[in-house]
């Protein structure tokens, strides 16, 4: 093709794009706000809640239930979603998670409920219907998520910086198409901001080469809380959900799976659990389970096999103080100088930054971000920020394994294990049933967990005989089920908390955005004693423990004088209602303190252990072990570069 012809072609395409863009603007209309946002017909705040079944009674259920309908292995987004779906249809479900809910990938995502603008671009350029369907499905689910968990999800405008004039209509049309494909689930209309407007909104951004920004909307959410919420919702619906239960073996009879052998990681006790169907939702660890399935005894392979079906890739994220980004707007650059994607987004009052993933050879259990990874992100980030990016600003960092799935039937038998590239992998999910009856669901995105769960349970109902009750089961309910804490929630909830409990705004916002309409339960605890009002970092301070004769001044040392609004009341709540079993469960997943400010979380470890020791009746050795594990886990969240050389703190 000649160069002149190419330019001509580009110009024609540009003109066409501009035309389409204009038409879209013309056709666009202002959307009425979602009704639930405006619903202020308040129910009184909830003051009490029946204590959910204790761990002991759930364990007891494992022993006394002769046969469950379904066992779900893995308590990530997919597993907990499946448990909620199956339980609400009327199946007797048991979910087993070897560590904590969402301790795997599900707590380490980018926290976006999205269809993926990038995937849309790919879909259009490759004229791929499959890719496009994927985007549309995710956009649809994004809407469902915002509706069923209104307290954990919110709409986030995201800017795409544009550095060449011709790209302005290109990105704008792309964003508009994104709106269109969302159909009635669209959040808000995309727009274009001029360079001046951009720097007014985002003064921290380097706008020297900027021409304009295109703004589109996606959802942002709190991933690990979403998972815990799903687990609690499942228990509410009658499911038996247990964390710290590892599945060791699939029990087979005549080559058919009849249940699993699971071990309680706290006590070492083994449980033989029977079920009609077993679902494998172990995410990036799925390969291991498949090997267990191939083994006649259902045992795991002796040597670790490199992944075949799941091609893992790691994504590193860092958390920075809020001044790195406007309060209510994120930034995403879909094509950086070296062809990756860079984003930084406001999240929970901080800023989450990262780039796209790098492929891995094997699946580490708790992947750790290296100093190199962190420096890499900071260097990339510096290109967008006017002030010098400082290594000491990194509050926390983590690495998540993304399970990109390949259809096993398309993997050539002779392929070198682990050599699969992540290119061209469709980030969709698939469900497969092995001859022995194990149903494996893997891949997908957080955003599509509900749809994946629905498909999984549909398959279960179709392929398994639940003692003749298949026809009596309800159709899928998860579109209607509002998750725990989302009931009676409205956007004005923090104002109501302030009026009722006279608490500071920061605490009210934190609680309502994490616990929804259950926040008032924590505030009831908070008001029970001054001790409960202490910031979690002071939990170890014995001199503050409540005593009858001590006169306490109101709010003497309440959390207000500290950076983060996490209190002892919240810990007590998470022990009673959310099955927190270790300090890391609380510090990293029930609350996100370790993800938001790892240094602060480290100072809280001793105090949290002291309270948990008392409440969970740990012996000295357990406490010691827990303390070590928590310090180890949080200590690896990007806060202590290996060498404390000055150079390490300077980003070139
Ligand atoms: C860096 C990164 C960013 C991402 N960003 C987004 C995003 O912005 N938006 C989005 O929608 N999606 C995102 N994703 C994708 C999303 O996080 C994952 O697709 C999703 O969390 C996968 O959930 P899962 O349940 O399949 O796996 P997991 O969350 O890993 O859950 C599997 C669970 O199974 C348990 N398990 C394993 N073996 C056993 C056993 N033998 N017995 C008992 N339990 C067992 C594990 O402990 C684990 O908790 C991202 C992923 C990554 C890596
Ligand atoms: C599971 O089934 C086996 C064999 O049918 C039986 O011996 C065992 O008691 C069952 N387990 C439970 C918990 O009932
Ligand atoms: C999701 O929550 C359940 C229950 O709280 C827990 O067992 C599981 O580990 C969590 N999974 C993830 C990926 O956080
Ligand atoms: C379960 O699924 C995962 C992928 O999601 C796979 O790695 C694992 O091998 C499966 N386990 C079994 C026993 O099939
Ligand atoms: C508003 O909320 C109340 C109470 O939760 C509910 O009964 C009512 O149906 C809701 N109205 C709308 C329009 O959603
Ligand atoms: C929000 O809540 C406050 C406190 O209860 C109430 O006074 C106010 O009217 C509410 N706002 C709206 C828009 O309903
Ligand atoms: C405990 O509180 C007292 C009183 O404010 C303070 O002096 C002391 O430093 C605190 N100790 C710890 C370990 O925080
Ligand atoms: C980073 O911050 C630290 C402490 O705030 C400061 O001492 C150091 O000079 C800063 N480094 C750069 C490159 O600005």
């Amino acid at each position: 093709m000649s160069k002149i012809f190419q330019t001509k072609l580009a110009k024609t395409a540009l003109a066409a794009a501009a035309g389409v863009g204009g038409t879209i603007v013309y056709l666009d209309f202002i959307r009425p706000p979602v009704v639930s946002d405006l619903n202020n017909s308040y129910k009184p705040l909830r003051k009490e809640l029946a204590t959910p079944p204790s761990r002991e009674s759930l364990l007891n259920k494992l022993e006394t239930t002769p046969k469950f309908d379904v066992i779900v292995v893995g308590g990530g987004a997919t597993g907990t979603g499946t448990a909620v779906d199956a339980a609400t249809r009327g199946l007797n479900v048991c979910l087993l998670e070897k560590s904590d809910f969402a301790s795997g990938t599900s707590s380490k995502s980018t926290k976006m409920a999205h269809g993926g603008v990038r995937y849309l671009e790919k879909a259009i350029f490759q004229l791929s219907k499959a890719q496009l369907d994927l985007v549309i499905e995710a956009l649809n689910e994004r809407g469902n998520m915002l509706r069923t968990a209104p307290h954990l999800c919110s709409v986030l405008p995201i800017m795409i910086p544009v550095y060449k004039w011709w790209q302005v209509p290109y990105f704008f049309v792309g964003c508009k198409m994104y709106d269109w494909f969302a159909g009635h689930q669209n959040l808000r209309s995309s727009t274009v901001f001029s360079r001046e407007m951009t720097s007014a909104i985002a003064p921290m951004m380097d706008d020297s080469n900027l021409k304009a920004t295109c703004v589109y909307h996606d959802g942002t959410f709190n991933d690990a809380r979403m998972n815990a919420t799903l687990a609690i919702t499942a228990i509410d619906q009658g499911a038996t959900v247990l964390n710290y239960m590892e599945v060791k073996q699939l029990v087979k009879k005549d080559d058919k799976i009849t249940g699993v052998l699971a071990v309680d990681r706290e006590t070492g006790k083994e449980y033989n659990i029977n079920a009609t169907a077993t679902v494998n939702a172990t995410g990036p660890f799925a390969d291991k389970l498949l090997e267990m399935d191939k083994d006649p005894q259902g045992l795991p392979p002796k040597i670790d096999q490199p992944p075949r079906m799941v091609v893992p890739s790691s994504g590193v994220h860092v958390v920075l103080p809020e001044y790195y980004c406007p309060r209510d707007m994120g930034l995403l650059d879909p094509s950086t100088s070296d062809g990756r994607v860079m984003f930084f987004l406001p999240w929970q009052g901080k800023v989450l930054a990262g780039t796209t993933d790098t492929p891995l050879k094997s699946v580490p259990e708790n992947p750790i971000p290296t100093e190199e990874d962190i420096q890499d992100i900071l260097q990339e980030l510096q290109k967008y920020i006017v002030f010098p990016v400082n290594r000491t600003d990194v509050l926390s960092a983590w690495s998540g394994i993304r399970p990109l799935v390949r259809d096993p039937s398309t993997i050539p038998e002779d392929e070198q294990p682990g050599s699969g590239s992540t290119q061209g992998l469709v980030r969709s999910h698939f469900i497969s049933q092995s001859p022995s009856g194990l149903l494996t669901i893997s891949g997908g995105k957080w955003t599509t967990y509900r749809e994946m769960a629905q498909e999984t349970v549909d398959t279960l109902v179709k392929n398994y005989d639940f003692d003749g009750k298949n026809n009596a089961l309800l159709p899928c309910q998860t579109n209607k089920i509002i998750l725990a804490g989302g009931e009676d929630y409205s956007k004005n909830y923090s104002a109501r908390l302030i009026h009722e409990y006279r608490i500071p705004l920061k605490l009210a916002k934190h609680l309502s955005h994490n616990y929804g309409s259950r926040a008032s339960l924590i505030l009831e605890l908070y008001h029970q004693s001054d001790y409960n009002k202490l910031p979690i970092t002071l939990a170890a301070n014995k001199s503050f423990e409540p005593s009858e004769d001590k006169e306490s001044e109101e709010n003497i040392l309440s959390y207000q004088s500290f950076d983060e609004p996490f209190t002892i009341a919240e810990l007590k709540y998470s022990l009673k209602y959310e099955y927190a079993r270790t300090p890391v469960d609380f510090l990293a997943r029930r609350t996100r303190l370790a993800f938001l400010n790892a240094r602060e979380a480290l100072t809280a470890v001793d105090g949290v252990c002291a309270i948990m020791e008392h409440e969970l009746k740990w012996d000295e050795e357990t406490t010691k072990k827990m303390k070590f594990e928590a310090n180890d886990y949080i200590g690896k969240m990007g806060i202590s570069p290996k060498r404390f050389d000055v150079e390490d703190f300077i980003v070139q």
Side-chain angles (χ1 to χ4, degrees):
M1 226 188 303
S2 81
K3 214 168 189 157
I4 297 169
F5 182 64
Q6 269 184 10
T7 343
K8 250 192 179 160
L9 198 66
K11 276 189 180 156
T12 318
L14 245 181
V20 175
T23 318
I24 293 170
V25 176
Y26 180 72
L27 287 176
D28 203 13
F29 55 93
I30 296 175
R31 236 159 251 286
V34 184
V35 178
S36 61
D37 282 359
L38 296 178
N39 191 353
N40 274 310
S41 59
Y42 298 126
K43 281 201 187 144
L45 295 180
R46 188 192 293 229
K47 298 281 162 100
E48 52 201 17
L49 181 68
T51 314
S54 66
R55 181 175 178 89
E56 288 67 35
S57 69
L58 290 173
L59 285 170
N60 194 34
K61 254 169 110 183
L62 291 187
E63 289 187 307
T64 54
T65 310
K67 193 173 167 202
F68 284 94
D69 290 324
V70 184
I71 292 175
V72 180
V73 186
T78 319
T80 48
T82 305
V84 170
D85 192 310
T88 51
R89 292 198 206 191
L91 290 165
N92 190 6
V93 187
C94 166
L95 182 140
L96 306 170
E97 161 59 47
K98 75 171 170 187
S99 46
D100 185 32
F101 307 113
S103 55
T105 328
S106 299
S107 65
K108 293 167 179 168
S109 75
T110 312
K111 293 108 178 61
M112 295 293 299
H114 61 174
V117 258
R118 281 186 292 138
Y119 306 138
L120 178 65
E121 188 183 3
K122 238 197 214 157
I124 288 167
F125 276 95
Q126 297 171 354
L127 293 175
S128 157
K129 176 87 169 53
Q131 280 271 5
L132 187 61
D133 285 345
L134 216 68
V135 174
I136 294 176
E137 173 194 316
L139 283 171
N140 219 353
E141 287 305 318
R142 179 186 74 176
N144 284 331
M145 212 153 144
L146 283 157
R147 203 162 37 77
T148 57
H151 53 309
L152 297 176
C153 310
S154 56
V155 177
L156 180 70
I158 297 172
M159 303 189 282
I160 300 177
V162 188
Y163 296 102
K164 294 194 179 78
W165 279 117
W166 69 265
Q167 286 180 329
V168 177
Y170 175 82
F171 282 121
F172 183 62
V173 170
C175 291
K176 278 292 167 193
M177 286 171 100
Y178 197 60
D179 290 358
W180 269 14
F181 284 120
H184 72 283
Q185 300 265 36
N186 188 27
L187 307 173
R188 273 176 233 159
S189 290
S190 302
T191 60
V192 174
F193 284 165
S194 66
R195 176 178 152 192
E196 290 73 23
M197 182 78 169
T198 307
S199 37
I201 293 173
M204 68 290 291
M205 247 181 83
D206 182 0
D207 65 354
S208 41
N209 292 317
L210 198 72
K211 297 293 183 285
T213 47
C214 289
V215 180
Y216 72 100
H217 299 82
D218 253 333
T220 169
F221 71 106
N222 189 338
D223 51 0
R225 283 224 46 86
M226 184 83 185
N227 177 49
T229 305
L230 278 166
I232 290 153
T233 309
I235 293 176
D236 272 356
Q237 302 285 345
T240 307
V241 178
L242 280 156
N243 42 2
Y244 298 100
M245 281 294 269
E246 178 164 11
V247 170
K248 284 280 187 211
Q249 191 181 341
L250 300 169
V251 180
K252 291 185 187 175
K253 200 174 147 203
D254 305 332
D255 282 339
K256 292 283 172 207
I257 295 172
T258 59
V260 302
L261 178 74
V263 57
D264 182 346
R265 284 177 84 171
E266 292 184 356
T267 60
K269 190 171 167 189
E270 291 194 342
Y271 293 82
N272 231 317
I273 309 160
N274 300 328
T276 306
T278 303
V279 175
N280 170 14
T282 54
F285 299 96
D287 274 346
K288 208 172 194 168
L289 207 62
L290 282 179
E291 299 292 340
M292 281 197 219
D293 185 39
K294 273 196 212 138
D295 188 83
Q297 261 85 50
L299 288 168
K302 302 248 159 27
I303 12 163
D304 263 353
Q305 297 286 325
R308 284 176 58 83
M309 190 175 90
V310 177
V311 181
S313 66
S314 85
V316 174
H317 293 80
V318 303
V319 170
L320 297 158
E322 63 175 312
Y323 51 76
Y324 273 86
C325 182
R327 267 263 290 286
D328 296 312
M329 189 161 307
L331 179 138
L332 181 135
D333 189 345
S335 51
T336 61
S337 43
D338 56 358
R340 289 185 302 177
V341 175
M342 174 79 203
F343 57 84
F344 46 110
L345 315 160
W347 184 68
Q348 304 272 310
K350 299 275 169 16
V351 174
L352 181 68
T355 61
T356 38
D357 2 312
T358 38
L360 290 177
K361 287 246 181 290
S362 68
V363 184
E365 186 122 348
N366 184 24
I368 297 159
T370 62
E371 188 53 29
E372 209 185 330
D373 293 332
I374 295 171
Q375 291 290 349
D376 183 47
I377 291 177
L378 295 183
Q379 265 169 39
E380 197 58 41
L381 185 65
Q382 183 66 78
K383 295 178 187 156
Y384 301 87
I385 301 284
V386 277
F387 51 79
V389 172
N390 195 320
R391 174 66 178 85
T392 53
D393 281 345
V394 173
L395 296 167
S396 182
W398 64 87
S399 166
I401 305 294
R402 201 191 291 275
L404 304 178
V405 188
R406 306 196 298 166
D407 186 338
S409 60
T410 67
I411 304 174
E413 268 304 318
D414 57 346
E415 188 194 89
Q416 279 293 99
S419 69
S421 78
T422 64
Q423 287 287 316
L425 285 164
V426 175
R427 275 165 209 221
S428 179
H429 59 276
F430 78 96
I431 297 174
S432 71
Q433 191 174 345
S434 74
S436 60
L438 181 75
L439 197 70
T440 294
I441 163 92
S442 54
K445 292 197 284 188
W446 238 124
T447 316
T448 54
Y449 84 91
R450 196 206 61 81
E451 140 93 33
M452 286 158 69
Q454 176 174 359
E455 248 179 74
T456 309
V457 181
D458 282 346
T459 313
L460 284 174
V461 174
K462 203 172 88 204
N463 294 0
Y464 296 80
D465 176 21
F466 295 106
D467 302 322
K469 69 173 170 181
N470 292 40
N471 288 330
L473 295 173
L474 297 169
C476 177
Q477 304 285 308
T478 44
N479 250 325
K480 288 180 261 170
I481 301 276
I482 305 293
L483 302 183
E487 323 93 344
D488 310 319
Y489 179 79
S490 72
K491 296 283 174 217
N492 197 18
Y493 199 81
S494 37
R496 298 188 63 200
L497 291 178
I498 293 171
H499 290 183
E500 180 114 3
Y501 292 96
R502 303 267 135 228
I503 51 165
L505 177 65
K506 196 170 169 187
L507 180 61
K509 272 191 165 167
H510 161 67
L511 292 179
S512 61
H513 292 165
N514 280 281
Y515 301 89
S517 55
R518 294 195 172 185
S520 48
L521 296 167
I522 297 173
L523 289 172
E524 288 292 316
L525 287 170
Y526 183 83
H527 273 263
Q528 268 169 23
S529 90
D530 280 344
Y531 182 62
N532 289 343
K533 285 183 189 156
L534 287 183
I536 199 70
T537 43
L538 281 189
N541 200 330
K542 291 272 189 274
S543 60
F544 281 107
E545 271 179 39
S547 74
E548 299 301 323
D549 48 57
K550 203 178 80 186
E551 254 183 53
S552 64
E553 266 177 56
E554 262 270 272
N555 279 339
I556 159 191
L557 233 177
S558 73
Y559 90 89
Q560 287 173 80
S561 43
F562 294 81
D563 280 345
E564 312 289 348
F566 301 90
T567 61
I568 292 176
E570 201 174 340
L571 171 60
K572 292 198 169 162
Y573 173 87
S574 82
L575 290 172
K576 184 169 172 194
Y577 294 103
E578 298 195 332
Y579 303 92
R581 303 298 296 176
T582 72
V584 177
D585 292 353
F586 174 73
L587 291 169
R589 292 181 290 268
R590 298 306 178 277
T591 70
R592 308 313 302 276
L593 182 54
F595 282 82
L596 293 169
N597 193 337
R599 276 185 207 90
E600 188 117 340
L602 267 185
T603 66
V605 169
D606 284 0
V608 170
C609 283
I611 293 175
M612 290 183 99
E613 176 178 32
H614 176 74
E615 303 266 328
L616 299 177
K617 310 197 171 49
W618 288 345
D619 54 29
E620 216 168 287
E621 200 173 318
T622 312
T623 312
K624 224 169 115 191
K625 191 177 124 233
M626 290 292 181
K627 231 178 236 181
F628 174 79
E629 282 175 6
N631 281 317
D632 185 53
Y633 184 97
I634 301 168
K636 287 177 182 155
M637 296 189 75
I639 45 175
S640 54
K642 268 180 228 86
R643 293 166 297 117
F644 271 90
D645 293 345
V646 184
E647 287 87 4
D648 272 346
F649 289 92
I650 299 170
V651 178
Q652 274 88 34

